[in-house]
Amino acid sequence: MSRRKPSQAGLLLWRTAVTPSVLLWMYVMNTFLNTAAAASLTLAITQCVILRYSNITCYWETSDHHLNASNYKLQINITNCDSKENFNVVGVCDTRGSNCAVQHINSELLCFRADVLADTHTGSIRSPPYFFIGLKSVKLPPPQIKHLKSSARCLHVVWGMKRFPKDVKNHIRLQVEFTTHDQTRSQTVRAYSNETLELCDLHPGSKYTVRLRAQDDRADAHWSSWTSIDTTTAEKAPSAAPRLWRHIQPAEEAGKRRLTLLWKPVSWPEVNGVVLSYSASCRSELDSSQWTCGALNASRSSCVLAVSTDPCHCNLTATNSAGTSPPAHLYIPAHTDAELPPPQSISVTPLDDTRLKVEWTAALNQSESGFVLQWSSVPGSGPASLHWEQMNKTARSFNLTGLLPEVPYNLSVVKLYGRRAGSAKSVIAFTREGAPSVGPKMTVLRTSSSVIILQWEPVPLEKLHGFIQNYTVLYSINGKSEKVCTRAEQISLTGLTAGTYNICVMAHTAVGGAAGPWHMVAVGTTPFGLNF
C-alpha cells in the first residue's frame, strides 16, 4: 500500500506535539478518510432518469466484484440548483439489484440529489452524492400510432402522445424507422401532438415495420421506448419477369419431345406483392401449334410440355392481385439445329463439406449474353432435381452451397447467346470424398491350367463416394495370399498352380477401399475355356 507524503504542517506537528491523544485523533481521521475514499471507488450512481408522470429511476454500479451487498437503499431529495443543499425527500426505495425507482413529483423544473446506501457483511457503504437537473433527465413515454394508411409508394402515419404538455411541444422531436427486407431507413423530425407523418418512396406490396420514439431535446441522452406496428404497402403488377430455363429430353415418339420449363420467382422488390399464379406456354415457329401449361399456382416452379421437334418460342408470366408481369422469353431450337459452342473449360474447387467453387472460361471469339450453371446429385431423379442459376456475361465463378459430403454432383455450365443456349460443359465433383460403401461385382471369364481371367463391373458413382484410384485383386490358396493392383477392370492371373482359389476385388478411392463378394475358382481341374 502506498504511503502518503506528510504535509509541512503535519511534519511540524509530529516533531513538536506528538501525544497519545493526537495519535488517536489522527487514527480516527485516517480511517474515516480511507473509508470514504473506498466507498467512492466502490459504489457510484451512473445516471438517474425521470419518466414523465411516472417515477425517477437511478442506476448504480460497483467496482468491487466482491462487495456482496445484501441490500441497497436509494434516497432522492429535491435540492437547490445552485447551492446543491438538500430540501425535502422525494422518496426512498430498497432493492437487491442495481437500480431502483421512487415516485415522481410531476415536475422537471427542479434539481435533485441522490445517493445509495449498500449493506455489506463488513458494514454500510454510501455512494457519493449524485446531482442532476430535472429537465436534462426526462424520458418521455412512448408515442402512440393512432392510424396508419398505406398506398403503393407511401405510408401515412397519425400519431399522438398521452398527456402531451402544450408548454413543451416545441421541444419534442420524433424519430421514425421503417424497415423492410432488412433494409432500414430513418428520419428525425420536429413533432407536434397529433402530427401526421408521410413516409414515401417505398416499395409496393412489401411488408414494413414502422417504429416511433420521442425525445425532449433538453434531455438529449434519453429517448422513449419504441412503439412499432407492421403494415403492407398496396400491390402493383410485377415490374420484372420471372427467370426462365428449360430441360430438353430426347423425343419419345415421332415428331415429339419432352420439354420441362423451369423458373424462379420474381425477386424482391420487383415482385411488388405476392405472386398468385404463373402462366407458361410455347408456340411453334413454323406453324400455329401452341402448347400451354395453363394457370399454375404460386407454389409451382416447373411444368412439362410435349412439343414438336420444330423450333419454338416459350413465354412465362407471373400474376399478383394488381396485374401480370412482363413475359420471360426462351427460344427452343429445332432438334436438328447445330449446337452452339460451350464454355472453353470448367474447374471445381471444394471449399468445405457443403460448398464448391465452380469456375469457367468463356469460349474464344464468341459473344455471350450470360451463363447458366446447372447442378444435380448423381443419380438424379429427372428435371425436377435439377438446380440452376443464371448469371450475367461477366460472371466467371459461382459458389455452390447446401451440398452434401461424399455425394457426387454433376455440374455443367451453359453459355447463352441472346435467347439461345449453347451446349453444356460438364464435370463431376465432390465436396469431400469418402470410402466406397460396396466393392466391385466380379465375373470369371475363363480359366486354364495356370491362368484365371477376371472382369468386374465398376462400382456406381453414388456408392463409390469418390473418384476411383485403383483396384486390388486379392487371391489365396492353401493359406498363402497374394494381391495385384490395377487401374483396369479386367485382369489375367497367370503362373498359378492347380487348386481352388478364393478371390475378390477391392475398389479404392483416395479415402479408403471396399471389397466385393469372394469367389471360389478352381484351376487345373477343368477343361480350358470353361466359364464360371
Side-chain angles (χ1 to χ4, degrees), residues 183-413:
Q183 295 183 0
T184 299
R185 294 163 58 191
S186 65
Q187 61 188 58
T188 301
V189 298
R190 286 287 175 184
Y192 301 94
S193 182
N194 297 322
E195 184 78 9
T196 298
L197 299 173
E198 188 172 61
L199 313 177
C200 289
D201 194 26
L202 307 183
H203 299 292
S206 297
K207 292 182 179 180
Y208 279 87
T209 297
V210 180
R211 302 203 305 166
L212 303 181
R213 64 178 183 174
Q215 182 190 68
D216 188 320
D217 62 10
R218 294 166 295 183
D220 56 7
H222 304 298
W223 282 95
S224 75
S225 56
W226 289 100
T227 295
S228 66
I229 190 171
D230 295 328
T231 188
T232 302
T233 51
E235 293 192 353
K236 291 182 65 177
S239 55
R243 290 167 289 170
L244 180 61
W245 190 231
R246 83 292 181 273
H247 183 270
I248 305 171
Q249 293 175 269
E252 297 179 348
E253 57 182 273
K256 290 288 184 181
R257 53 185 167 166
R258 186 181 178 89
L259 173 66
T260 302
L261 295 178
L262 307 163
W263 60 85
K264 292 187 176 182
V266 182
S267 300
W268 182 87
E270 289 84 4
V271 65
N272 292 339
V274 178
V275 170
L276 302 175
S277 65
Y278 294 98
S279 179
S281 64
C282 296
R283 177 180 52 80
S284 170
E285 192 177 72
L286 301 182
D287 57 33
S288 59
S289 299
Q290 187 166 334
W291 307 271
T292 180
C293 293
L296 305 165
N297 66 47
S299 64
R300 294 285 299 273
S301 59
S302 66
C303 77
V304 179
L305 293 171
V307 301
S308 71
T309 56
D310 298 329
C312 60
H313 297 270
C314 298
N315 295 326
L316 173 73
T317 57
T319 300
N320 64 17
S321 65
T324 299
S325 72
H329 301 284
L330 193 64
Y331 177 76
I332 308 298
H335 78 292
T336 56
D337 287 355
E339 289 188 322
L340 297 174
Q344 187 176 2
S345 64
I346 179 174
S347 63
V348 180
T349 304
L351 299 177
D352 53 36
D353 279 4
T354 62
R355 298 186 301 152
L356 291 171
K357 183 176 183 179
V358 186
E359 299 175 278
W360 59 90
T361 304
L364 297 176
N365 302 321
Q366 297 287 337
S367 177
E368 66 278 341
S369 61
F371 297 91
V372 174
L373 173 63
Q374 304 177 123
W375 69 97
S376 62
S377 59
V378 178
S381 57
S385 66
L386 181 67
H387 301 273
W388 57 280
E389 190 69 36
Q390 197 169 64
M391 287 159 282
N392 62 39
K393 64 180 182 180
T394 63
R396 293 295 183 271
S397 68
F398 189 82
N399 289 349
L400 295 180
T401 60
L403 307 179
L404 297 174
E406 302 185 18
V407 173
Y409 288 90
N410 185 11
L411 313 171
S412 63
V413 178

Side-chain angles (χ1 to χ4, degrees), residues 60-105:
W60 55 87
E61 59 185 29
T62 60
S63 57
D64 185 353
H65 298 293
H66 303 288
L67 186 62
N68 295 325
S70 60
N71 188 70
Y72 295 95
K73 181 185 292 293
L74 172 70
Q75 179 171 314
I76 299 177
N77 297 336
I78 298 174
T79 186
N80 183 280
C81 293
D82 296 322
S83 67
K84 298 182 180 179
E85 294 179 354
N86 289 339
F87 289 90
N88 58 311
V89 176
V90 176
V92 177
C93 61
D94 294 276
T95 182
R96 297 178 62 88
S98 59
N99 63 81
C100 197
V102 303
Q103 185 69 34
H104 184 25
I105 61 172

Side-chain angles (χ1 to χ4, degrees), residues 1 14 56 107 124 142 171 204 332 335 340 442 525:
M1 181 174 180
W14 181 264
I56 303 177
S107 176
S124 297
H171 294 285
I332 308 298
H335 78 292
L340 297 174
M442 183 187 74
T525 59

